[in-house]
Structure formats: structure tokens, C-alpha cells
């Protein structure tokens, strides 16, 4: 028997449900923002439900906060627990990567979605792990957002909020109010902040600038004017030496001067003016072999990478950077700490035996490195994770002492090794100069592969050696410089070196 069931009439009130999603990671105030939205909706006579789906810790995944609201009635609405692709009215993203993720997951559609996002970046783990420049292209995300969203509001909400002494959740809430996506007056939004009872005044200021950004946009920041001369401070005797070094830079070929001045500043900051003189001596030896007809490109390249090689990352440098006053001020600023607040800072260290031996006097360090039993002893004593709470006097003094060993640095095993490596690299890079100018430039650029300390430094050295040794395979080829560039870029693609191994095999195949 066939039975025809009566068709149900769609409930028109389903279309009155406003669906809003917030994508943020820990520390960006996604929970606070969601709480304000929920409080706002209930205060305006709406039935509301807020849920959250946590992502993986830190920058490998975001938490999705989801809010559904509808005018209250005598019937209890049935709300969804999570957003669905193509079914979101308002999407708030706390950072440009979250904007991209929202678009990729289909939460942003041109027929209905108001997309509000912050243009600042908090780098993902995958971006930091890439040996080269792994930062994703924010311009591509912006272009996709312009196509995907019905209404798009993008501004640096982080900077706007910090400028008012608040956090990004407040400026995003202001942008939501300014967008007109919710049917509530500005005063209702502000009352939701007041009802929270914490940091009300700074939050209201940040709310106001976010509201204004949504309605009127934000003027592009003025282009930063770089200082004509680097700023270094020190005793009068050292500043006299510094002025003499700057005078030497001014006598270099004009196309080399800018990079040489930056390199000199880096090297002198790393050690002292005498060390800066050694830097310029090395650069002079390259200039003597360069060709003015090539616009001094070889020397300008050498100016950059010789400085990087001379300012290597050893324990002394790491300790020095971690105890400098500007770093402490930057951290306090990022945390929004006031003078009355106590900031607790923990530094993580995991020294290997090699780092400890490298800090020894050169001859002593070489003997220890050549003795497996002694290295095993150093591993047992030092190769363990350590947490130094540098807001406490003992830990800070220890790091400050290590950072002050610049006068001893040039006698260490690490310095001896770095100098030998630098001299060999320069010699190898200039070897093909007479027959292949561009190949010498690419060989100089390979120094980019060497960076960091500990395991990162070891991996970089391995890749560096592999790429430099490939010069013998490319010898005599007209496209040798081009292939050297390709090999270096392959080495920068992944920490494991898989792309480099594939590129090397390709080179071997046609040699």
C-alpha cells in the first residue's frame, strides 16, 4: 500500500538564524571575543549558543569558536554545534593564515559571508622550520579573500589594539560592530564589553579603532625611512675607531658601500672595532679581484655574506642577545606589561657536548673533540634540557657573564673553526672567478645555508658542503651559475634535504 505523506512547510525562522565563526589560536582572545558576542546577543533578546572545537596546539591548528543566534520566541531553536562549508554569515579570523584556512575550508562564500580579518602574521611552525624563507605569501591570501567574501574587512587589528593598550579581541569586536553584519547598535556592543568587567577602558578604546577601521578603512603606514648611518654607542675611544671604519667604507666603490656599512655594523656589534677592521680587510681582498664593468656585484655580495660568516651564532652571542635591555623591553611590550607588573621569563637551552667544547681555548677544545670518552663525559654533564628563569638574579647573571666573554671569544675553538671555514669558503668561491664571474657570486651566496647553532648549524653545514662540492660537477658548463642557484634553493626547501638530494641526482644525470 502506498501512502502519501503531507509535505512539511519549511520553517521561515530557520532563515533568521545568524551563524558566526571565529578562528583563532591560543592567546589571541578568541574565547573572550566569543563571550562578548554571546553576551551581546542575549542582552538584545536573542536565543544564542556558542561552542568551540579546539585545534592542535599552537600554530599547527586553530580553535574554531562558533555562535548561532536567532530572535527569541516561544519555541526553543535547534542550533548546530559546528560551522559547515557554505553556511557561515560572519567569519572572524585573528590573523592572515586563519583567513586563508577559513577560505580553504569553504566557510567563506561570496553569496553571504562577511569576512573580518587581521593582516598581521604569527608564523606557523611549518613556516619557521623551513631553512629558507618559508613565510606564506599574505598577498595571495588577500587576493583570494577579495574573491571569496561578500564583504571583506582587513586591517592590522593586532597593532590597532596594542596601540590602545588592549588585545586583538577588542579591535575585532569593534570591526564586527562597524561591519553592520549584526542587527545591533554600537552602544549594545560597548555594553557587552562593560558587562565583562575586565580591562574595560582599554578594550573600549581598541573597540573604537576597530569600529573605525571597518567603516573608514586604515591609512597605509608611511614608508620607514632608513637612517643614513648606523647607530652604535660606546666609549669615546671606540667611537673614534668606529668613525675611522666608516671613513674606510666611504672610500669603497659606491655600489658596495651600503651593504658594506650594514655588514660592518653587524660585525662590530658582534665583537669590536678591531674585528670590524678584519672584516674590511677581507672585503678589500675581494674588491681587488672584482670587475667594475660588472657594477661590483661580486663585492656587494661578499660584503653581505662575509659579515654573516664572521658574526656566527655561538653560545656567547646567544647569551648576549638574550640579556640585552632592548629585548627585555620588546618582550614587555608584546605582553602588554606595565612598570608595575612582574614579568617572568624562562629561557630554554639544550647544549650539546660540541657547544661546550667549542667554548674551550682552541687547542684544548680540539683535543677534547678528538677524544670520544671526553665528549661522552660532556654529553652526560651538559646534554640535557635546561630552563633558565632569567627574571631571577642567578640565572640572569650567568647568562650576562657568558654574553660578556667577547674579549675571550677570539681564542676559542669555535672561532678557530669558523675562521678556517670562512677562509676555505672564500677561496673556493673565488676559484672560478676568472672564467665564470656569476658562478663565483652564486658560490658566495651559498653561505646562506649556514646559520643558527647546535643541530640547526650542523644540518646547515652538511647542506653547504654538498652544494659547494657540486661545483666540480658543474665545472665548464655555461649554465653552471644557474644550476648552483637551483641547488641552493633546493637545499632551502626542507630540513631533511630531500629536495637537495633530488637536485643533485638531476645534476649527476647530465654530467
Amino acid at each position: 500500500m502506498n501512502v502519501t505523506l503531507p509535505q512539511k512547510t519549511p520553517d521561515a525562522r530557520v532563515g533568521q538564524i545568524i551563524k558566526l565563526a571565529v578562528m583563532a589560536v591560543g592567546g589571541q582572545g578568541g574565547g573572550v571575543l566569543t563571550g562578548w558576542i554571546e553576551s551581546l546577543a542575549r542582552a538584545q533578546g536573542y536565543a544564542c549558543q556558542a561552542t568551540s572545537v579546539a585545534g592542535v596546539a599552537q600554530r599547527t591548528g586553530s580553535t574554531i569558536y562558533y555562535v548561532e543566534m536567532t530572535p527569541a520566541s516561544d519555541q526553543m531553536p535547534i542550533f548546530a554545534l559546528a560551522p559547515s562549508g557554505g553556511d557561515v554569515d560572519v567569519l572572524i579570523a585573528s590573523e592572515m593564515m586563519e583567513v586563508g584556512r577559513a577560505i580553504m575550508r569553504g566557510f567563506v562564500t561570496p553569496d553571504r559571508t562577511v569576512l573580518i580579518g587581521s593582516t598581521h602574521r604569527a608564523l606557523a611552525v611549518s613556516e619557521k622550520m623551513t631553512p629558507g624563507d618559508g613565510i606564506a605569501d599574505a598577498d595571495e591570501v588577500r587576493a583570494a579573500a577579495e574573491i571569496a567574501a561578500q564583504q571583506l574587512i582587513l586591517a592590522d587589528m593586532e597593532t590597532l589594539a596594542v596601540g590602545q593598550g588592549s588585545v586583538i579581541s577588542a579591535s575585532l569586536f569593534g570591526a564586527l560592530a562597524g561591519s553592520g553584519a549584526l542587527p545591533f547598535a554600537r552602544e549594545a556592543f560597548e555594553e557587552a564589553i562593560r558587562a565583562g568587567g575586565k580591562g574595560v577602558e582599554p578594550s573600549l578604546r581598541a573597540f573604537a579603532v576597530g569600529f573605525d577601521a571597518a567603516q573608514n578603512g586604515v591609512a597605509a603606514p608611511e614608508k620607514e625611512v632608513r637612517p643614513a648611518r648606523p647607530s652604535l654607542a660606546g666609549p669615546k675611544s671606540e667611537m673614534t675607531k668606529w668613525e675611522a671604519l666608516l671613513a674606510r667604507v666611504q672610500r669603497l666603490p659606491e655600489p658596495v658601500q651600503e651593504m658594506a656599512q650594514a655588514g660592518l655594523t653587524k660585525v662590530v656589534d658582534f665583537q669590536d672595532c678591531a674585528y670590524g677592521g678584519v672584516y674590511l680587510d677581507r672585503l678589500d681582498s675581494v674588491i681587488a679581484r672584482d670587475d667594475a664593468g660588472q657594477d661590483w656585484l661580486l663585492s656587494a655580495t661578499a660584503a653581505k655574506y662575509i659579515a654573516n660568516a664572521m658574526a656566527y651564532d655561538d653560545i656567547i652571542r646567544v647569551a648576549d642577545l638574550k640579556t640585552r635591555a632592548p629585548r627585555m623591553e620588546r618582550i614587555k611590550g608584546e605582553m602588554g606589561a606595565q612598570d608595575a607588573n612582574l614579568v617572568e621569563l624562562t629561557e630554554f637551552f639544550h647544549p650539546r657536548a660540541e657547544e661546550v667544547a667549542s667554548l674551550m681555548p682552541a687547542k684544548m677544545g680540539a683535543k677534547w673533540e678528538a677524544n670520544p670518552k671526553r665528549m661522552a663525559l660532556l654529553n652526560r654533564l651538559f646534554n640535557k634540557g635546561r630552563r633558565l628563569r632569567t627574571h631571577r638574579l642567578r640565572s640572569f647573571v650567568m647568562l650576562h657573564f657568558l654574553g660578556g666573554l667577547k674579549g675571550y671569544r677570539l681564542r676559542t675553538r669555535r672561532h678557530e673553526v669558523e675562521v678556517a671555514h670562512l677562509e676555505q669558503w672564500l677561496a673556493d668561491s673565488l676559484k672560478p672567478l676568472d672564467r665564470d664571474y656569476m658562478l663565483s657570486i652564486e658560490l658566495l651566496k651559498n653561505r646562506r645555508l649556514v646559520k643558527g647553532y647546535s643541530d640547526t648549524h650542523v644540518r646547515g653545514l652538511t647542506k653547504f658542503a654538498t652544494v659547494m662540492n657540486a661545483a666540480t660537477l658543474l665545472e665548464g658548463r655555461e649554465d653552471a651559475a644557474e644550476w648552483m642557484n637551483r641547488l641552493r634553493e633546493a637545499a632551502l626547501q626542507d630540513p631533511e634535504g630531500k629536495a637537495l638530494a633530488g637536485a643533485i641526482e638531476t645534476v649527476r644525470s647530465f654530467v
Side-chain angles (χ1 to χ4, degrees), residues 163-290:
Q164 302 300 321
S166 186
V167 292
I168 189 173
S169 53
S171 55
L172 286 171
F173 194 49
L176 175 62
S179 71
L182 298 183
F184 310 129
R186 173 174 178 167
E187 293 74 16
F189 285 83
E190 293 174 332
E191 188 57 37
I193 293 177
R194 293 189 183 93
K198 294 182 179 179
V200 173
E201 292 306 318
S203 295
L204 287 174
R205 293 196 299 269
F207 172 90
V209 294
F211 185 95
D212 185 64
Q215 297 227 321
N216 305 313
V218 178
E222 294 184 5
K223 186 175 181 181
E224 183 180 357
V225 179
R226 300 173 67 179
R229 302 181 67 171
S231 56
L232 287 179
K236 185 176 180 179
S237 58
E238 287 299 309
M239 293 307 295
T240 301
K241 296 176 184 177
W242 171 243
E243 293 294 333
L245 291 175
L246 288 178
R248 282 186 63 179
V249 171
Q250 296 304 312
R251 294 193 292 270
L252 298 178
E254 187 175 350
V256 184
Q257 290 179 15
E258 181 179 1
M259 188 59 71
Q261 186 166 290
L264 178 65
T265 304
K266 183 173 186 176
V267 168
V268 172
D269 179 64
F270 174 81
Q271 185 64 28
D272 53 28
C273 287
Y275 200 58
V278 175
Y279 164 74
L280 291 180
D281 291 342
R282 287 196 173 106
L283 182 56
D284 283 340
S285 69
V286 177
I287 293 174
R289 298 188 58 183
D290 203 355

Side-chain angles (χ1 to χ4, degrees), residues 257-458:
Q257 290 179 15
E258 181 179 1
M259 188 59 71
Q261 186 166 290
L264 178 65
T265 304
K266 183 173 186 176
V267 168
V268 172
D269 179 64
F270 174 81
Q271 185 64 28
D272 53 28
C273 287
Y275 200 58
V278 175
Y279 164 74
L280 291 180
D281 291 342
R282 287 196 173 106
L283 182 56
D284 283 340
S285 69
V286 177
I287 293 174
R289 298 188 58 183
D290 203 355
D291 182 0
Q294 298 283 356
D295 202 24
W296 305 101
L297 183 57
L298 178 79
S299 299
T301 304
K304 176 179 180 178
Y305 290 105
I306 291 175
N308 288 348
M310 292 182 68
Y312 50 86
D313 289 318
D314 61 356
I315 295 177
I316 297 172
R317 178 171 174 79
V318 173
D320 177 32
L321 293 176
K322 286 184 177 293
T323 52
R324 289 189 178 187
R327 178 176 183 259
M328 300 299 178
E329 292 302 317
R330 176 177 60 80
I331 292 174
K332 289 178 64 177
E334 290 176 353
M335 299 300 296
Q338 305 299 319
D339 291 338
N341 299 131
L342 175 64
V343 178
E344 297 186 356
L345 184 60
T346 302
E347 307 285 0
F348 294 86
F349 285 87
H350 199 145
R352 303 180 309 143
E354 289 79 4
E355 273 77 58
V356 178
S358 73
L359 201 58
M360 296 177 179
K363 291 184 178 179
M364 178 182 175
K367 290 181 179 179
W368 276 71
E369 288 177 351
N371 190 317
K373 291 185 177 179
R374 290 183 176 181
M375 294 299 285
L377 174 62
L378 290 180
N379 261 322
R380 288 196 299 272
L381 293 175
F382 296 100
N383 193 3
K384 58 187 72 174
R386 300 175 186 273
R387 299 184 180 187
L388 298 182
R389 301 184 181 277
T390 49
H391 57 281
R392 296 176 179 173
L393 182 61
R394 180 179 177 182
S395 296
F396 182 85
V397 168
M398 182 172 69
L399 278 187
H400 188 65
F401 172 78
L402 281 173
L405 293 178
K406 288 185 177 182
Y408 164 70
R409 170 189 275 141
L410 304 189
R411 300 195 297 273
T412 64
R413 171 62 177 165
R414 176 66 186 275
H415 184 71
E416 181 182 60
V417 170
E418 290 294 335
V419 169
H421 192 267
L422 185 155
E423 297 293 353
Q424 187 63 54
W425 159 67
L426 270 181
D428 291 343
S429 298
L430 299 178
K431 191 178 298 182
L433 180 60
D434 293 335
R435 62 182 184 276
D436 196 333
Y437 185 88
M438 295 307 299
L439 178 57
S440 283
I441 290 176
E442 294 301 328
L443 289 170
L444 286 173
K445 290 181 179 180
N446 287 342
R447 186 71 201 190
R448 181 185 175 191
L449 297 172
V450 183
K451 62 182 68 176
Y453 64 103
S454 191
D455 294 336
T456 301
H457 183 69
V458 172

